[in-house]
Amino acid sequence: MFAWLERSRSTPLCIFLTGTQQENIVASETKAKKLRQKLRKHVARFRTVRSDNPKLYSFFKSLLEHSAPALETLSLTSTQSGSTIGSHDKPLGYFSRMQNLHATGWIPSPELLWLSGLKELVLNLLRGRNPPVLQVLSSCPCLERLTIRTTNMSADELPAIPTRIDLPHLREMDLSLASHRLALQMIHRLEIPLCDQACLVISETLLQANDVDAVSDYTDFLLGPRVAANTQLPATEATATIRFTPSKQLSYDTVHRRLWFNVPDSQEEGTAFHEMVRGFQTAMGQPKLKINVVNPVTSPSVQWFLGPFTSENVQSIVIYCSREPARPILSEIGSHSMAVPCESISSSDVTRQAGEWPFESLRSLVIRDTSLNLRELTWLFEIREEYLLARSKRWLEHISLVNCRLLKGISKAAAVEQLAAIGVTLSVFGCIDLSSEVEEGNLK
């Protein structure tokens, strides 16, 4: 390799050590010193330096104490919690062409002059005491792409200054922050007028009991003045995801925006999530809404988080049951009479007035990984059949069952026939069919 380096003269270099070379450096300080001496002669030709081995962090850190005027991309991984590279005792060289910096487990000093030319900044696994995140961002006015992922960094570790950080050129942003409080403190300081792609993930509980109003802060931050001024095309589709177990996780996604967070299991949080989605939907021009429901459990919890969406423009619902029963969520989609056999439904249940039936805009339903009596699907239509006929309305058009156990009660063939008669297509994929053991003559 050394002979090739000499012959290559002024060719730009991309440095990434292979597994064998990494092992030699880690195992032998003598070999590491020899390689460092050889590479230092060619530092001026470095264009890219990458290492995902934290044991090589010190090796590259010492190598880059010398200026690398051609260096454009630097990607290093460290295990030193919150270590700051480039501070006064361990200065980095001047990288006049640096554009892309990926730092995992460390953070550059905000005093480094070359930060002002960065186009991309990735800070991964930030932890420890007082990492200077905001000071670094204030030194990067030309950023176009920003990724920050923190672990146990707390809001108390954010300094009082800078009070406001302008990132006028930022186009892509991905923030994964440890807590609701940290997220609020950070977004209140960032001024980002033109962001095209934005993702905000809050790992811990989003809302406290009296902090529901903070939802609008996240909505305003992710939408920004560009959407408010109608300078960005509205979304045509959006997805709201409600994950019930093992912890309550909520998210809202479009092609341009994503917000993801954890919440406690309460009716107030369900209402707050609905209000947040409504804010996004309004700003995005009311795109078609798809709802993913993952591991639905108790009926009250399903009602708290899914119930507020019954009057929204929901076109599709996908239920991932993970072997949990589907009945609680089917009850919410159909009506609260779902628990009653259709022969016992009273006339008052089937003559509800317009607007009282949930999810009237629903066109597609997908149910995955559960045990299901197909009778529950035909009930969805029987309980509102009179209402639909009286108003010449269409409702669900397609139902898909994936990896389910079809229980006794009504055969698959009968369910397909009954639903087809009212214009609904039932598709079955990878299901275990136990329903055909029932006699066809006993179905209705």
Side-chain angles (χ1 to χ4, degrees):
M1 179 181 75
F2 299 143
W4 178 87
L5 280 174
E6 299 297 336
R7 291 195 304 269
S8 62
R9 298 177 184 270
S10 60
T11 304
L13 299 177
C14 297
I15 306 298
F16 180 75
L17 299 184
T18 64
T20 301
Q21 293 165 333
Q22 292 182 28
E23 293 172 5
N24 290 338
I25 294 174
V26 172
S28 171
E29 178 58 34
T30 300
K31 292 181 179 179
K33 183 177 180 180
K34 181 180 179 181
L35 179 59
R36 185 161 46 239
Q37 290 174 344
K38 293 290 184 179
L39 289 176
R40 274 180 177 167
K41 298 178 182 179
H42 305 278
V43 166
R45 296 161 54 193
F46 288 179
R47 176 173 291 176
T48 299
V49 174
R50 294 191 297 119
S51 172
D52 55 8
N53 187 338
K55 294 180 180 180
L56 298 182
Y57 172 73
S58 296
F59 173 84
F60 282 107
K61 182 177 179 182
S62 63
L63 184 65
L64 293 171
E65 290 171 3
H66 298 264
S67 295
L71 189 63
E72 297 178 358
T73 299
L74 175 62
S75 178
L76 294 180
T77 298
S78 170
T79 56
Q80 304 177 35
S81 298
S83 58
T84 302
I85 189 171
S87 56
H88 290 299
D89 56 331
K90 295 285 185 180
L92 280 177
Y94 181 62
F95 309 140
S96 58
R97 296 178 61 182
M98 176 70 76
Q99 294 189 15
N100 310 292
L101 178 62
H102 292 219
T104 299
W106 62 277
I107 187 169
S109 168
E111 299 174 359
L112 294 170
L113 296 178
W114 49 263
L115 290 175
S116 62
L118 278 184
K119 299 295 182 64
E120 178 184 28
L121 176 62
V122 178
L123 301 176
N124 279 323
L125 302 179
L126 285 178
R127 53 191 182 275
R129 295 185 59 82
N130 303 320
V133 177
L134 295 179
Q135 295 96 318
V136 169
L137 291 181
S138 66
S139 300
C140 304
C142 294
L143 276 184
E144 296 177 3
R145 297 175 299 279
L146 172 64
T147 299
I148 298 177
R149 294 187 176 92
T150 67
T151 52
N152 61 351
M153 178 180 167
S154 71
D156 295 334
E157 292 162 352
L158 288 180
I161 54 174
T163 57
R164 199 72 183 169
I165 301 169
D166 292 323
L167 298 174
H169 305 288
L170 198 68
R171 295 297 184 272
E172 299 177 18
M173 175 180 60
D174 186 349
L175 304 181
S176 181
L177 305 175
S179 69
H180 162 60
R181 185 180 174 196
L182 175 63
L184 284 176
Q185 288 201 17
M186 183 168 288
I187 69 174
H188 286 163
R189 313 224 191 148
L190 297 179
E191 184 69 33
I192 305 172
L194 299 175
C195 196
D196 294 324
Q197 302 283 339
C199 173
L200 177 60
V201 174
I202 299 102
S203 301
E204 295 180 355
T205 298
L206 170 65
L207 300 174
Q208 304 300 323
N210 299 318
D211 211 8
V212 176
D213 291 341
V215 169
S216 61
D217 292 339
Y218 293 114
T219 307
D220 294 343
F221 173 70
L222 286 175
L223 293 176
R226 188 169 188 178
V227 173
N230 294 319
T231 57
Q232 181 173 324
L233 291 175
T236 57
E237 295 182 352
T239 300
T241 299
I242 307 170
R243 182 183 296 273
F244 286 87
T245 59
S247 62
K248 187 70 82 285
Q249 298 171 351
L250 308 175
S251 68
Y252 177 86
D253 297 81
T254 70
V255 68
H256 298 295
R257 295 292 184 268
R258 183 172 196 238
L259 177 59
W260 183 100
F261 47 86
N262 288 336
V263 295
D265 191 10
S266 72
Q267 187 171 2
E268 290 77 9
E269 310 303 344
T271 301
F273 178 59
H274 173 244
E275 290 300 316
M276 183 205 73
V277 171
R278 287 188 65 184
F280 274 111
Q281 289 289 100
T282 299
M284 294 288 186
Q286 296 299 334
K288 296 178 181 179
L289 184 61
K290 171 185 175 183
I291 297 182
N292 292 329
V293 182
V294 183
N295 301 337
V297 283
T298 61
S299 294
S301 186
V302 170
Q303 186 176 355
W304 290 340
F305 286 88
L306 188 63
F309 289 93
T310 57
S311 60
E312 299 298 329
N313 182 29
V314 179
Q315 298 284 309
S316 174
I317 295 178
V318 181
I319 309 169
Y320 301 84
C321 287
S322 187
R323 304 306 169 188
E324 295 289 339
R327 179 171 285 265
I329 190 168
L330 290 179
S331 297
E332 197 63 40
I333 294 172
S335 84
H336 295 296
S337 297
M338 280 291 297
V340 183
C342 62
E343 291 83 356
S344 303
I345 296 176
S346 66
S347 58
S348 61
D349 289 320
V350 295
T351 56
R352 294 185 177 196
Q353 298 301 312
E356 293 184 357
W357 289 94
F359 298 105
E360 288 203 41
S361 61
L362 190 63
R363 295 297 178 263
S364 173
L365 174 64
V366 180
I367 304 173
R368 302 179 61 99
D369 305 314
T370 189
S371 296
L372 181 71
N373 184 338
L374 291 174
R375 188 68 169 133
E376 295 174 359
L377 295 181
T378 60
W379 283 345
L380 286 172
F381 292 89
E382 290 177 9
I383 59 178
R384 66 170 84 187
E385 180 179 9
E386 183 176 330
Y387 166 76
L388 295 172
L389 290 174
R391 291 163 178 79
S392 300
K393 280 181 170 286
R394 297 292 299 273
W395 190 44
L396 270 171
E397 298 173 352
H398 198 283
I399 300 175
S400 297
L401 306 179
V402 182
N403 298 332
C404 294
R405 289 171 58 88
L406 308 182
L407 303 178
K408 298 178 182 179
I410 180 174
S411 71
K412 180 175 70 175
V416 169
E417 181 180 352
Q418 290 182 25
L419 292 172
I422 54 176
V424 182
T425 301
L426 174 62
S427 302
V428 179
F429 306 95
C431 295
I432 299 174
D433 187 5
L434 306 177
S435 65
S436 57
E437 298 178 16
V438 180
E439 293 293 333
E440 296 284 340
N442 295 329
L443 293 179
K444 291 186 73 176

